[in-house]
Every structure is written in C-alpha cells, then in structure tokens.
Amino acid sequence: MDLVEVLPDRLHMLRFPIGQAYLWQDGDALTLVDAGQATSAPEIESAIRSLGRTPARLERIVLTHCHRDHVGAAGELSARWGARVLAHRLDAPVIRGERPVPEPVLLDWELPLYAHGLTVPEAPPTPVDGEVEDGDALGFGDGAYVVHAPGHTDGSIGVHLPRHGVLFTGDCVAAVGPPILGVFNVDRARAVASFRRLAALAPATACFGHGDPLTEGTAAALAAAAAAV
C-alpha cells in the first residue's frame, strides 16, 4: 500500500493494488472514505500511525458502495477502534451480507478487467451503523454531505466537502488519464446521470475510487468528461 498526500495536513490517499481509500483529518479526528480490501486493516492502521495519529481517533468509515475493494477492512477497523460504518440505505443490506452483490451489466472490453477485480478477497459481512440518504450530513470536513450517485450500484454515493472544494466520487468516476465514467455499472444510464450530477458540483479536488486524484483544473476536466460521456 502507498500513502499519498493529497492536501497537506488534511487528506491522504491509501493506494492498494486494486482501488484506494482516503483518510481525512479534522485535527486529531479521522474519517476514512472506503476501506480497501479485507486484509487491509494492518496497513491502514500503520498508515495512520505514520502520520502521527492513532487509529483510536478513527471516528467513522464512509463506504461509497458495496463492492469488496471498498468495504474490505471496514468491519475489522470498526470492531477494533469503534469507528461507525456509514453507507447508503440501498447498499447497506449488501454490505451486511443480507443480499448478494448486484451483478453489473458488462461491456465486452470490461470482461477481463472485471475478472481481475474478482481476485480481490471477498469482503466479510460488515455491520452498518448508519444508513444515509442523499443530502445527509456526515459530521466531518466542516459540512461533508452525501450525494446519491446510483448506477454503479443502486446505493453508490459521492461525498462532497464544499467548504474545502473536495469531492469523493466512489466508482461513479474513474481516472485513467482524464476522468471517465466508472466501469462495471448495474445501470449505465443512471451512472451517466450521476457522473453529470457530480461534475456539476465543480470541485477543486476530486478523489476517485480508481485513479489518481485531480487537484488542478478539476472542475473543467470533470465538466468536459461529463459532457462527452
């Protein structure tokens, strides 16, 4: 795992072989957006300590959706440190193991990528402490709130921090060079609409589920990509 600073003293990316999570700091209080794969807890804890923080200050884990490379270590971290796990109401039953992970409608070129993604260990059933909806306040980042962004999964969300100009897109948007529509969608038309909604927020910094964050020319790049999709 690589630890990459995105915004000094505020935001770091935790990059895994497949996918990534993000650590936000409000002073000593910590929030994790997504949680890597099921074996990632020790690496995440080590990353937190390397920043001079303690995992005991991890207050919440916000899951952008129900896929294994995002839910992964959430349950273990929550059990160890008491962090609350938050997820959208529509994906929460999947995260808890009460419903199966929804099958995407794959394009032909996505098939080998999807097979590679399945090499990530399955996430264990994970308790969800809070089910969120569009517009809900999340209690960190000076006003972070939920942006429902269905299409990748029914309960996919973005997380917007307007005071800081930061947007976490989950897998609705990816970055392989310029931003693109994320892959493996259950409903591509809804995913496109969600992409355009997220782009309209015009963030200064965009953090994707896959691909490096954008910190320069972000709003213009997202707007152009959304118009072209």
Side-chain angles (χ1 to χ4, degrees), residues 77-164:
L77 291 168
S78 176
R80 287 188 187 181
W81 306 109
R84 298 183 72 240
V85 176
L86 308 176
H88 192 274
R89 170 181 56 84
L90 295 177
D91 271 19
V94 181
I95 293 165
R96 291 193 294 259
E98 298 165 359
R99 296 181 187 169
V101 177
E103 291 292 332
V105 179
L106 296 173
L107 303 174
D108 287 345
W109 65 269
E110 294 178 322
L111 291 170
L113 294 176
Y114 188 66
H116 181 56
L118 294 179
T119 63
V120 173
E122 286 191 30
T126 298
V128 175
D129 301 295
E131 296 186 10
V132 300
E133 300 277 1
D134 186 57
D136 282 355
L138 291 167
F140 76 98
D142 301 304
Y145 71 93
V146 174
V147 184
H148 188 205
H152 184 64
T153 65
D154 290 339
S156 286
I157 62 171
V159 177
H160 189 207
L161 284 63
R163 288 280 299 276
H164 298 278

